[in-house]
Amino acid sequence: MNALRILLSILAFCLAIVPAAAEPVLSKYIGEVAASDLVAGADAFGPPQQDLPVVPVLKGGETIGWAFITSDFVGTTGYSGKPIHVMVAVDKDAKIIGVKLVKHSEPIVLIGIPEAKMKALAAGYAGLDLVAEAQAGGTSHDVDIISGATVTVMVIDDSIVRSGLKVARALGLGGLAAEAKPSGPAFEINPDAAAPKDWMTMEGDGTLRRLSLDVSQVNAAFAALDDKRAAERALTEAPETTFIEMQTALVSVPAIGKAVLGEAEYANLAGWLRPGENAIVVVGRGLYSFKGSGYVRGGIFDRIVLIQDDVSVRFRDRMHRRLVGVAADGAPDFAEADLFKIPADAGFDPTKPFRIQLLVHREVGPVEKLFSTFDLGYQLPQQYLRAVATAPAAAVTGSAEAAAAQDESSAQAHLWKKIWLGSKPEIVGLGAMLLVLTSVFFFQKWTTRNARLFFWFRIGYLTVTLVWLGWMANAQLSVVNLMALFGALVTGFSWQAFLLDPLTFILWFSVAAALLFWGRGAYCGWLCPFGALQELTNRIAKALHVPQWTLPWGLHERLWPLKYMIFLGLFGVSLMSIEQAEHLAEVEPFKTAIVLKFVRAWPFVAYAAALLIAGLFVERFYCRYLCPLGAALAIPARLRMFDWLKRYKECGNPCQTCANQCPVQAIHPTGEINPNECVDCLHCQVLYQSKTICPVVIKKMKRRGTAGAVPPRDLTGHPNQPKTQPAE
C-alpha cells in the first residue's frame, strides 16, 4: 500500500510539473486596463511583441511608450504567497510614465488598508528614471512604506524597478543595453574545497561578509530623508554604539557549512535542503534585530531580502531555522543566529555576487514609520569554486536540449524521492499515528473495553495530534485544499505545492481511504488539530465544572445545515475566483489557531478565541455547525462500505443513554447514528460494553447475577455531570 502511494505520488508529481507553454500574464489583463488609465493622454495599445510580453502604448497612432506586467519578468510573490500584478509603462528615455496595480491577493490590504491607498502608491512610481536606477543598483529612489503593509510595498517597489530595468535593457531604452552573457569560464561549487580553520580566517578571506552600522550612521541616514520627523526622533544612544553588526555566509557550500556550523549541524542542514536549494547563515548583534519579532504574524521576514540581479528572495517561516550557536573557533557571541533556505526555483546562482538588503525603520508617529535600507554584499571566494568544462556551442545546441528533455522525468522523480527521504522522520511519525488509529478502529471491541484506559488513550492521541501534527508539523487540512484540487481537475492548476508537502499528501490519501471504511470521523475526530484543540479545551472546562449545554434536538438539527451552506458558498465562489474563495475560507480558524499559533492580527485571534470559548460550553461547537471542511467530507460519508459501530435493538427505543451522552449529538432520538455528524470518538462503543451505564448490559448481568450496585460514571470513571439544557 505504501509503495503504491509513493508510486502514485511520483506519477502525479511528474505529470503536474511537465512544463507547458505559459501564457504571459499581460495577455490576461491587457483587456481590463484602458490605455488612458495607465498613461495620461494615451488612447490605445498596439499589438504585442512576438519575443517579449510587451505592448506599445499609442497616442494618435504614435508609440509613446511600452507597457508590461511585472510578473512576466520578475517574481512578485507578496505577503499572501501569491503574485502582485502591476502594469507599468516606460518611454523611450527609460522613464516610467504610468503604473497601475491590477491584481493582488494581499490579506493585510483587505483587512485594514484602503485599496485606493495601495493604488496611489503604485501610481506614484510614474516619473522614476530607470537609467539612474541602473547606475545606482536600484537604490536611487526612496521607498514610501505604508505601515502595516511593509512586505507588500517592498514587493511592489522591487518588482517595478527590476522588471522595468529588464524591459528597458531588452528594448534598448534610454541607452540601456542588454547585459552581455559572460564569455569567461563558468564555475560551480567545489565540494572538495578545504574548510577554513577559524572565524578570523573566514572574515579575512571573504568567506564571511559583514555589515556594521553604529548609531551615528543610522541617524545620518534618516536625517538625509525629506521628512524632518526622522531627525527629530534620532536615537539617543552614544554615536559609537553598535546599532547592528550583521554577518552572513553561504553555508550550503560544504566547506563553509562545516566550518561555521560544525559537522553535526551541517548534516542537519544537508538533510533540510532539497536538490538545487541553497542556504545562508545570518548572525547579528546590537540594538537592532535583523529579523525582529513581527515576522510571525504573516510567516515572513520583512526586514531582510536577498537580491541577486533580477532575483529577489523573501524568507518565510518555512524557509527559516533558528541556530543554537556558531561552531567556528573564535566566533564572537551573537544575539541572533539563523539559517535561511533559498528555494531551488528562485533562480539563485551561488557562484554569482548577491546582497542582503536590511530594512531599518524609525517610528515617527503612533502608527507611522519611516524606513531606510542598507546593503550587505557577498561574493563567494574563488577557493570554493571550480571551473566547468564547456563544449563548443554547436555540439551542444541540439543534443543538450534533447538530453534535458529526455532526463526531465527521471530528474523530477529523483527530486520527489529526495523530498520524501528528507521528511522521513515526519512521515514515519504520521505513519505510526495512522497505524495506531487503524488498529483502534479494526479492534474497537477490545480497545474500548476499559473505559478509563480508552479515555486517557484518546486524550493522549489528541494531544499528539494538536502539538506535533498541528503546531509543530503544521499538517492541518483545509477546505482550501479541496478547492485547489477541484481547480486542478478543471483548469489544469498545478498540483506541485500540494504534492511537495508529504504530510498533507499522506493525510489526504488516508482521508480518502477512511471515507470508504468509516466516513469523515476518522479525520475529524482524531487527526484534525483544531478539532483536538476544541475537545481538549472542553475537557479542561469539564474538569473545572464549566456547565455543558445540550442544545434542544430541534434547534441542533436546524443548525447542522450551516456548515454545508458555508462549504457550498465557498465552492461556488472558487468557481469564479480561487483567490477570493481562499480569503473567504478564513471562516476556518485553522491558520490562526494551528499554523500561526494565535500570533496574528487581533480580529483573527478574537474570532478563533470566540469559537473555542463557545466550545467550552458546547463540545466541538465549530465542528458541529460551522466547519466547511467537515461538511465537504460528510457529503460522501454515506458511501462508506461498512457500519462498524455496534447497536442494540433497544437503542433509541426505549434507551436514550448513548443519544444523551454523544459528545456531538450525532445520535438521533430514534437511535440511528448520523454518519454525516459522527466523529468516530467511539464513546458509544464504550457505553455499548459498559457494565455500569448501558441498561442492556446491566440487564444481562442481573440475569446472570453479576450486576454490581455501581453508580453510572463517565469515561473518566467519575460520576456523570448533569448537563444544562436550554428550554425549547
Side-chain angles (χ1 to χ4, degrees):
M1 189 66 177
N2 290 334
L4 178 60
R5 286 179 180 173
I6 295 176
L7 180 60
L8 290 174
S9 303
I10 297 172
L11 178 60
F13 175 77
C14 294
L15 291 175
I17 54 90
V18 172
E23 182 183 15
V25 179
L26 179 66
S27 62
K28 291 180 60 178
Y29 296 108
I30 192 65
E32 299 180 10
V33 179
S36 58
D37 290 341
L38 180 63
V39 179
D43 50 36
F45 292 114
Q49 293 201 183
Q50 296 297 318
D51 56 345
L52 200 66
V54 172
V55 296
V57 182
L58 306 177
K59 180 179 180 180
E62 295 185 3
T63 300
I64 60 172
W66 290 264
F68 59 92
I69 297 288
T70 54
S71 306
D72 280 325
F73 294 90
V74 297
T76 61
T77 302
Y79 187 95
S80 65
K82 292 186 169 47
I84 301 174
H85 301 308
V86 180
M87 184 175 286
V88 181
V90 295
D91 65 8
K92 61 182 179 62
D93 297 321
K95 288 186 178 180
I96 294 179
I97 56 175
V99 180
K100 186 174 179 63
L101 178 63
V102 294
K103 177 71 175 178
H104 70 82
S105 302
E106 298 297 270
I108 39 178
V109 175
L110 296 175
I111 64 171
I113 299 175
E115 184 83 7
K117 191 169 186 178
M118 298 303 300
K119 290 186 175 180
L121 178 136
Y125 280 82
L128 186 69
D129 188 347
L130 293 173
V131 175
E133 294 300 322
Q135 295 170 347
T139 60
S140 71
H141 68 291
D142 295 326
V143 182
D144 185 14
I145 300 288
I146 296 176
S147 295
T150 307
V151 174
T152 303
V153 172
M154 292 177 67
V155 169
I156 291 174
D157 172 82
D158 177 73
S159 64
I160 290 174
V161 174
R162 293 193 300 114
S163 63
L165 288 172
K166 281 189 129 182
V167 171
R169 288 182 176 124
L171 298 177
L173 307 178
L176 296 175
E179 295 179 328
K181 295 182 179 179
S183 56
F187 293 95
E188 65 180 5
I189 301 297
N190 182 6
D192 301 321
K197 62 180 181 178
D198 55 30
W199 191 267
M200 183 176 294
T201 301
M202 289 188 282
E203 285 187 317
D205 65 11
T207 299
L208 286 160
R209 297 295 175 95
R210 179 202 309 260
L211 170 65
S212 184
L213 299 171
D214 59 30
V215 167
S216 64
Q217 291 173 299
V218 175
N219 281 339
F222 278 100
L225 300 180
D226 293 335
D227 197 323
K228 65 178 183 179
R229 295 176 299 173
E232 294 171 352
R233 298 290 185 97
L235 298 171
T236 57
E237 287 81 1
E240 67 276 7
T241 302
T242 299
F243 179 76
I244 187 171
E245 179 187 325
M246 186 173 75
Q247 292 183 260
T248 192
L250 193 64
V251 289
S252 50
V253 176
I256 300 176
K258 293 174 183 177
V260 174
L261 308 178
E263 292 284 349
E265 189 61 40
Y266 175 74
N268 292 335
L269 173 68
W272 183 41
L273 297 179
R274 310 290 184 251
E277 294 180 340
N278 289 275
I280 59 171
V281 64
V282 183
V283 295
R285 57 184 176 178
L287 301 177
Y288 192 72
S289 166
F290 61 80
K291 63 179 181 179
S293 59
Y295 74 92
V296 292
R297 287 198 298 271
I300 191 168
F301 295 81
D302 59 3
R303 293 188 180 183
I304 56 172
V305 58
L306 183 149
I307 300 173
Q308 183 183 71
D309 299 330
D310 294 321
V311 172
S312 66
V313 180
R314 299 188 182 278
F315 301 106
R316 296 181 173 271
D317 51 0
R318 291 179 178 271
M319 303 155 68
H320 163 258
R321 280 190 176 180
R322 189 175 285 108
L323 191 61
V324 176
V326 175
D329 292 338
D333 292 329
F334 293 101
E336 297 177 313
D338 298 82
L339 296 171
F340 295 94
K341 180 193 297 186
I342 305 169
D345 60 357
F348 175 77
D349 185 346
T351 67
K352 293 183 178 180
F354 63 90
R355 56 192 168 102
I356 305 294
Q357 187 176 80
L358 174 70
L359 181 71
V360 178
H361 70 264
R362 174 168 292 178
E363 296 182 358
V364 295
V367 295
E368 194 172 356
K369 299 177 183 178
L370 295 177
F371 298 84
S372 185
T373 59
F374 302 87
D375 286 344
L376 167 57
Y378 191 89
Q379 167 69 68
L380 193 63
Q382 191 64 39
Q383 66 260 32
Y384 303 109
L385 302 174
R386 65 184 181 188
V388 179
T390 56
V396 300
T397 300
S399 59
E401 292 181 0
Q406 185 177 5
D407 293 341
E408 178 66 19
S409 122
S410 60
Q412 295 300 343
H414 176 71
L415 172 61
W416 179 248
K417 292 175 183 178
K418 285 285 187 182
I419 291 173
W420 282 64
L421 289 173
S423 303
K424 191 181 296 182
E426 292 86 356
I427 294 172
V428 170
L430 179 55
M433 290 185 68
L434 294 175
L435 179 62
V436 169
L437 183 58
T438 303
S439 300
V440 168
F441 283 155
F442 270 110
F443 304 105
Q444 65 186 34
K445 179 179 178 180
W446 291 273
T447 55
T448 59
R449 180 169 291 174
N450 186 315
R452 191 174 183 82
L453 184 61
F454 180 76
F455 169 81
W456 287 111
F457 165 76
R458 178 164 171 79
I459 292 297
Y461 196 98
L462 292 178
T463 302
V464 174
T465 295
L466 173 62
V467 177
W468 180 75
L469 195 61
W471 285 337
M472 295 178 64
N474 287 339
Q476 170 74 65
L477 301 186
S478 167
V479 71
V480 174
N481 301 137
L482 288 177
M483 294 188 294
L485 176 60
F486 182 80
L489 298 175
V490 174
T491 65
F493 177 83
S494 173
W495 288 32
Q496 184 172 354
F498 179 73
L499 292 167
L500 290 180
D501 188 337
L503 296 189
T504 299
F505 190 70
I506 292 172
L507 272 175
W508 275 116
F509 257 87
S510 65
V511 167
L515 286 175
L516 296 176
F517 283 84
W518 300 287
R520 77 178 182 110
Y523 177 76
C524 296
W526 294 84
L527 294 168
C528 175
F530 188 75
L533 178 60
Q534 289 182 96
E535 185 163 332
L536 292 172
T537 52
N538 179 265
R539 286 292 173 186
I540 295 173
K542 287 179 178 178
L544 297 175
H545 304 292
V546 173
Q548 300 297 297
W549 298 344
T550 302
L551 299 184
W553 181 261
L555 175 61
H556 172 64
E557 197 172 28
R558 284 165 178 78
L559 290 176
W560 273 347
L562 284 178
K563 59 179 174 286
Y564 298 96
M565 295 177 185
I566 294 172
F567 168 68
L568 292 175
L570 290 173
F571 183 74
V573 172
S574 72
L575 298 179
M576 298 179 289
S577 170
I578 187 68
E579 292 87 358
Q580 185 62 28
E582 289 179 1
H583 291 314
L584 295 176
E586 287 288 358
V587 69
E588 292 181 327
F590 305 157
K591 182 177 181 181
T592 300
I594 303 301
V595 178
L596 298 179
K597 306 172 188 66
F598 295 100
V599 186
R600 205 179 182 193
W602 73 264
F604 296 101
V605 175
Y607 172 66
L611 295 175
L612 290 173
I613 291 171
L616 299 180
F617 302 92
V618 180
E619 187 168 346
R620 285 183 175 257
F621 174 85
Y622 175 77
C623 296
R624 295 198 205 187
Y625 307 123
L626 299 176
C627 182
L629 176 61
L633 298 180
I635 291 174
R638 293 188 180 275
L639 298 178
R640 71 193 192 287
M641 300 166 61
F642 308 101
D643 285 323
W644 295 85
L645 303 180
K646 296 182 179 181
R647 310 290 287 150
Y648 294 114
K649 63 180 181 179
E650 292 88 351
C651 293
N653 184 23
C655 182
Q656 295 292 321
T657 301
C658 291
N660 291 334
Q661 291 201 28
C662 178
V664 293
Q665 289 181 265
I667 302 178
H668 288 260
T670 52
E672 301 90 356
I673 297 176
N674 188 336
N676 289 1
E677 306 303 322
C678 178
V679 295
D680 278 322
C681 66
L682 302 184
H683 183 93
C684 60
Q685 300 307 290
V686 173
L687 298 177
Y688 182 86
Q689 303 182 77
S690 175
K691 299 177 181 179
T692 60
I693 298 177
C694 179
V696 178
V697 176
I698 294 173
K699 186 176 180 180
K700 289 180 179 179
M701 292 177 63
K702 283 183 177 180
R703 288 175 182 170
R704 298 170 187 161
T706 58
V710 182
R713 295 177 178 268
D714 63 14
L715 287 177
T716 66
H718 298 97
N720 282 328
Q721 287 189 41
K723 294 186 178 181
T724 302
Q725 180 158 337
E728 298 239 19

